[in-house]
Amino acid sequence: RAKKVIGIELNSVTDNPIVDYEDKRFLHGGNFHGEAIATVIDQLKIVLVKLTMLSERRIAFFLNHRTNRRFPPFLNLNTPGLTLALQGLQFVATSTTARSQTLAFPQSIHSISTNADNQDVVSMGTDAALVAAMVIEHAYIVLAIEMVTLSQAVDCAEIENKLSKDTRGLYRETRKHVPAIVEDISIAGNLEQLLQSLKRETAV
């Protein structure tokens, strides 16, 4: 829906006045208000925040041994208490999701009069787009962490050979960039590689 609305608006006439050369007319009250784009971008942003929240909750489920009652704490492949496993990644997922929740408030209902009050109710469409871009980036980060979490769960359960073809493909794509976490190591660079891979796969 967002793609459709934005496509219509980008291809519309937005001059004010519109000069109709053939009929020698000036049409005032042009369609220059960005409300349609601002509103649909805000809706897209809110949906992405909810997606991010769901992803973060799935991560939390797999890392909490008291909840899942199957896996070791934080999907630890070594010694819980001596190694952190995915604890650090969960902190990133949680804080990133929290920031997206803060950014979920719709920019399109903000308005500050400007231009000597000539522009009294403005769309804030540019701000909506800029904030939405941050939320999209956050969603990729949390989804990448979920992929690492699920891959670690596969390793804990030793069930790679039981995965479906598509799920095995996701697992192997994750493992191409991020190794199984056994010792406490920095995987910031690995996570960035996985992030870029996700972006390439989902490019429109």
Side-chain angles (χ1 to χ4, degrees):
R1 182 172 182 274
K3 185 176 180 180
K4 179 181 178 181
V5 170
I6 292 170
I8 290 171
E9 294 299 314
L10 285 176
N11 288 289
S12 65
V13 177
T14 59
D15 293 329
N16 188 36
I18 297 170
V19 179
D20 181 355
Y21 179 78
E22 290 184 359
D23 294 332
K24 296 181 172 51
R25 295 185 303 166
F26 290 91
L27 306 174
H28 294 275
N31 177 34
F32 56 85
H33 193 35
E35 190 67 33
I37 290 180
T39 302
V40 79
I41 286 178
D42 276 340
Q43 291 171 345
L44 174 64
K45 178 183 69 175
I46 291 167
V47 170
L48 285 170
V49 171
K50 182 55 70 80
L51 170 69
T52 305
M53 291 167 60
L54 291 169
S55 180
E56 189 276 335
R57 287 293 82 200
R58 289 191 295 265
I59 293 167
F61 173 81
F62 278 94
L63 297 186
N64 189 343
H65 65 288
R66 294 184 184 89
T67 303
N68 63 62
R69 299 183 180 182
R70 174 175 181 178
F71 298 104
F74 305 103
L75 297 175
N76 203 311
L77 292 172
N78 200 331
T79 307
L82 296 181
T83 50
L84 295 173
L86 302 190
Q87 285 186 60
L89 274 183
Q90 185 177 19
F91 294 146
V92 176
T94 303
S95 61
T96 303
T97 301
R99 186 160 188 234
S100 284
Q101 288 175 306
T102 300
L103 296 173
F105 192 83
Q107 297 297 115
S108 56
I109 65 170
H110 283 294
S111 184
I112 301 175
S113 298
T114 188
N115 192 222
D117 286 339
N118 177 48
Q119 310 219 9
D120 56 346
V121 179
V122 296
S123 69
M124 296 295 182
T126 301
D127 284 347
L130 291 171
V131 174
M134 287 189 279
V135 167
I136 290 169
E137 184 68 17
H138 293 170
Y140 273 117
I141 292 169
V142 177
L143 287 171
I145 293 172
E146 183 180 5
M147 288 179 67
V148 173
T149 301
L150 295 176
S151 297
Q152 190 89 348
V154 168
D155 292 336
C156 281
E158 299 180 338
I159 56 169
E160 180 186 353
N161 62 338
K162 295 182 180 179
L163 301 177
S164 68
K165 179 182 177 182
D166 289 341
T167 306
R168 190 181 299 117
L170 284 172
Y171 169 83
R172 290 178 177 173
E173 181 63 23
T174 302
R175 282 289 171 255
K176 186 193 305 182
H177 305 288
V178 183
I181 309 301
V182 180
E183 302 294 339
D184 291 339
I185 58 172
S186 172
I187 61 165
N190 305 84
L191 195 66
E192 179 61 28
Q193 291 176 22
L194 179 58
L195 198 65
Q196 295 308 318
S197 173
L198 271 175
K199 290 179 179 180
R200 287 192 297 272
E201 289 297 319
T202 57
V204 178

